[in-house]
């Protein structure tokens, strides 16, 4: 179901978020080896992100409803 898909993991801005993201990527690669899996750090698009900040916080702070805006910023 995920094979051939591009999957982007946006971990919380803390060590626990990074560790969990790594485990999620490993599971996806195990069960969907043809998927493209990336971990993107929100701090790359939002340098002032608070500790434990996440994608929900990003959308709230910037008052955005379109998820593709975040992806565009992370891909640039």
């Amino acid at each position: 179901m995920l094979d051939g898909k591009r999957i982007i993991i946006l971990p919380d801005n803390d060590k626990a978020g990074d560790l969990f993201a790594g485990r999620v990527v490993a599971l996806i690669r195990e069960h969907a080896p043809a998927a493209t899996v990336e971990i993107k750090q929100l701090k790359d698009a939002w340098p002032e992100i608070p500790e434990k900040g996440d994608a929900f916080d990003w959308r709230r702070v910037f008052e955005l409803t379109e998820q593709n805006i975040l992806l565009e910023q992370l891909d640039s």
Side-chain angles (χ1 to χ4, degrees), residues 7-69:
I7 302 164
I8 299 173
I9 308 295
L10 300 170
D12 289 3
N13 187 41
D14 59 16
K15 185 170 178 106
D18 289 336
L19 292 172
F20 184 72
R23 289 194 303 258
V24 170
V25 168
L27 284 170
I28 292 170
R29 288 186 175 151
E30 179 182 336
H31 295 284
T36 302
V37 186
E38 305 169 57
I39 296 175
K40 299 272 188 169
Q41 297 296 329
L42 290 167
K43 62 186 166 193
D44 293 339
W46 180 21
E48 307 82 20
I49 188 172
E51 180 77 9
K52 300 185 185 295
D54 59 17
F56 179 80
D57 296 322
W58 187 91
R59 289 179 68 178
R60 182 180 43 79
V61 167
F62 295 101
E63 298 179 357
L64 299 172
T65 58
E66 300 288 331
Q67 71 182 24
N68 61 333
I69 294 170

